[in-house]
């Protein structure tokens, strides 16, 4: 039985990836913070129904020793490094902790694998935020990076570390440059979930307005389950490589809100209020990915489109509120 180790197993992608790998017959191990183990109701809600099937180990991206110990104990065949401080806005408020945790965490786990499980295939959750002030549209693997946030900078460093462990130490290490990917399990701080829950609450009479920042920002939004499939495929290839994963379609935040409210029979203009305090000090204005390499080599393509995604998220939030 193949063993897999997932950092960030309690997040959106970790939860979906665990299910996918359990279904494929893997023994799934995850690293979680001690506080999460002590407060499963709040911190492990996304993996609640598979808690009996996965093995959790306490560890922190800030501690080399803790990651080293888990890698040594599990000796995984595959490792998906998804754990990070991933909210771009927070990274402006506390750039030191984002940069320290994200860069060191990646470095520690790569080094542990090199020393203890050098045959382990490694996946790094790289990000479209690395493109930042974009140099071309659409963005592909060869597009130069120009990150616009401490988070983006930390991901560029993680990308380079991963590539360097591949080139310098011969690890099977891949970067998945994933564009925004959403689902009903997305955290409430991200704009898509904020909108889907906001529209659902207003529809149910639980709220009166929704405050948003930059409505003109454009993102290439896909469905997280499709993107976890791409992560898995990267590690099943004969050679390690880097891939852009995206839908190739771009929409504004305004369009997301418009569709979400329309889906519940409301006009977004009556409820959405623009709030300048939610604007970012430096914005990534437009992201649109070209995933043709992933399509050609991995045989990957997204199954859920923008409209399908918005409707799914709003429907799930309406259901949750009913309960
Ligand atoms: O913002 C604008 C905001 O926070 C999207 C992470 O998973 O994807 C995600 O990063 C856009 C931005 O995601 C609000 O200014 C307007 O332009 O949902 P978001 P993100 O920053 O694109 C990448 C690929 C990652 O790697 C990240 O980890 O929406 N926006 N009004 C707002 N954003 C938020 N959060 N809240 C608002 O009220």
């Amino acid at each position: 039985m193949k063993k897999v180790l997932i950092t960030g197993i309690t997040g959106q992608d970790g939860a979906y990836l665990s299910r996918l790998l359990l279904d494929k017959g893997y023994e799934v191990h995850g690293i979680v913070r001690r506080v999460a183990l002590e407060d499963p109701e709040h911190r492990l809600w996304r993996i609640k129904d598979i808690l009996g099937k996965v093995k959790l180990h306490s560890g922190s991206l800030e501690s080399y020793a803790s990651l080293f110990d888990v890698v040594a104990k599990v000796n995984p065949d595959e490792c998906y490094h998804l754990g990070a401080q991933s909210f771009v806005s927070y990274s402006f408020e506390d750039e030191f902790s984002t940069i320290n945790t994200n860069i060191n965490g990646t470095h520690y786990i790569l080094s542990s694998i090199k020393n203890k499980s050098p045959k382990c295939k490694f996946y790094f959750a790289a990000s479209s935020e690395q493109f930042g002030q974009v140099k071309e549209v659409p963005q592909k693997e060869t597009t130069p990076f120009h990150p616009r946030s401490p988070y983006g900078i930390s991901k560029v460093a993680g990308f380079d570390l991963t590539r360097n462990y591949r080139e310098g130490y011969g690890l099977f290490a891949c970067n998945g440059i994933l564009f925004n990917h959403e689902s009903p399990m997305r955290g409430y701080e991200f704009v898509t979930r904020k909108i889907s829950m906001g529209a659902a609450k207003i529809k149910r009479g639980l709220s009166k307005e929704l405050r948003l920042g930059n409505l003109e920002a454009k993102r290439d939004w896909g469905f997280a389950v499709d993107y976890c499939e791409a992560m898995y495929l990267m590690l099943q290839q004969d050679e390690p490589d880097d891939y852009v994963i995206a839908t190739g379609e771009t929409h504004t935040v305004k369009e997301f809100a418009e569709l979400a409210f329309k889906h519940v029979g409301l006009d977004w203009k009556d409820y959405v209020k623009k709030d300048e305090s939610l604007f970012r000090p430096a914005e990534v204005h437009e992201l649109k990915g070209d995933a043709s390499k992933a399509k050609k080599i991995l045989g990957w393509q997204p199954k859920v489109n923008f409209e399908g995604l918005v409707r799914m998220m709003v429907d799930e939030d309406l259901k949750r509120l009913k309960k």
Side-chain angles (χ1 to χ4, degrees):
M1 191 187 251
K2 272 196 185 172
K3 285 183 283 181
V4 61
L5 180 62
I6 303 174
T7 73
I9 193 169
T10 60
Q12 167 189 263
D13 294 359
Y16 285 126
L17 184 66
S18 302
R19 285 172 178 82
L20 183 136
L21 295 174
L22 283 170
D23 286 348
K24 293 191 185 292
Y26 281 72
E27 182 178 305
V28 176
H29 295 255
I31 299 181
V32 295
R33 275 173 290 186
R34 189 168 294 281
V35 283
L37 291 174
E38 284 158 6
D39 183 14
E41 190 61 31
H42 291 107
R43 299 186 190 244
L44 303 180
W45 65 273
R46 291 188 181 91
I47 53 170
K48 213 169 154 187
D49 55 323
I50 52 166
L51 274 179
K53 297 181 187 160
V54 297
K55 296 182 188 355
L56 299 181
H57 306 265
S58 81
S60 155
L61 293 181
E62 281 140 36
S63 155
Y64 180 72
S66 73
L67 298 180
F68 185 89
D69 283 352
V70 178
V71 170
K73 201 157 119 193
V74 175
N75 190 19
D77 298 287
E78 293 175 14
C79 174
Y80 295 83
H81 176 40
L82 313 179
Q85 192 301 95
S86 65
F87 187 36
V88 175
S89 274
Y90 290 162
S91 84
F92 283 105
E93 285 161 32
D94 191 353
E95 74 262 43
F96 289 98
S97 80
T98 300
I99 284 185
N100 289 341
T101 309
N102 290 3
I103 300 181
N104 290 339
T106 305
H107 196 182
Y108 295 161
I109 192 108
L110 276 164
S111 169
S112 304
I113 286 172
K114 171 185 153 251
N115 287 309
K116 281 289 163 191
S117 299
K119 293 212 163 24
C120 172
K121 293 181 167 184
F122 178 82
Y123 171 88
F124 175 61
S127 164
S128 52
E129 282 296 298
Q130 293 167 212
F131 296 120
Q133 184 92 295
V134 299
K135 300 286 181 255
E136 60 181 340
V137 182
Q139 297 85 48
K140 49 183 185 282
E141 292 79 6
T142 50
T143 304
F145 298 139
H146 182 148
R148 295 262 286 170
S149 64
Y151 170 81
I153 293 167
S154 76
K155 286 289 173 179
V156 171
F159 176 97
D160 283 333
L161 277 163
T162 301
R163 189 168 51 187
N164 198 242
Y165 270 77
R166 178 169 77 219
E167 293 174 356
Y169 302 111
L171 285 197
F172 189 109
C174 300
N175 284 297
I177 309 172
L178 268 52
F179 281 60
N180 298 53
H181 45 288
E182 320 293 314
S183 75
M185 286 219 261
R186 191 56 146 150
Y188 296 105
E189 65 274 37
F190 298 96
V191 78
T192 54
R193 191 73 200 286
K194 190 172 167 183
I195 296 172
S196 66
M197 187 47 104
K201 276 189 173 166
I202 291 169
K203 178 68 183 172
R204 294 259 185 259
L206 300 169
S207 178
K208 288 195 165 46
E209 62 169 36
L210 176 64
R211 304 191 83 81
L212 294 175
N214 184 5
L215 297 170
E216 304 308 325
K218 289 184 176 164
R219 288 292 183 275
D220 178 333
W221 280 295
F223 179 39
V225 171
D226 289 343
Y227 287 44
C228 288
E229 179 75 32
M231 298 177 192
Y232 166 75
L233 289 172
M234 282 177 219
L235 297 201
Q236 312 315 311
Q237 304 307 304
D238 293 334
E239 297 297 330
D241 207 343
D242 307 322
Y243 297 90
V244 158
I245 301 298
T247 69
E249 241 189 77
T250 186
H251 295 274
T252 59
V253 171
K254 196 199 287 171
E255 283 166 345
F256 197 106
E258 200 171 353
L259 191 54
F261 279 84
K262 196 169 158 207
H263 189 56
V264 295
L266 301 172
D267 184 345
W268 73 282
K269 288 195 231 83
D270 296 334
Y271 304 96
V272 173
K273 304 276 173 291
K274 199 157 143 189
D275 184 341
E276 299 280 335
S277 72
L278 295 169
F279 278 58
R280 296 176 180 178
E283 177 65 282
V284 170
H285 296 290
E286 179 176 6
L287 289 173
K288 182 180 182 181
D290 173 357
S292 42
K293 178 176 170 184
K295 188 174 179 191
K296 188 167 163 233
I297 297 173
L298 307 177
W300 178 85
Q301 53 187 8
K303 298 186 185 86
V304 176
N305 68 9
F306 179 69
E307 285 77 16
L309 178 67
V310 178
R311 289 196 194 104
M312 178 205 306
M313 291 179 70
V314 175
D315 285 342
E316 283 299 316
D317 282 332
L318 282 171
K319 265 194 240 160
R320 265 190 196 127
L321 292 178
K322 213 175 198 172
K323 276 189 206 151

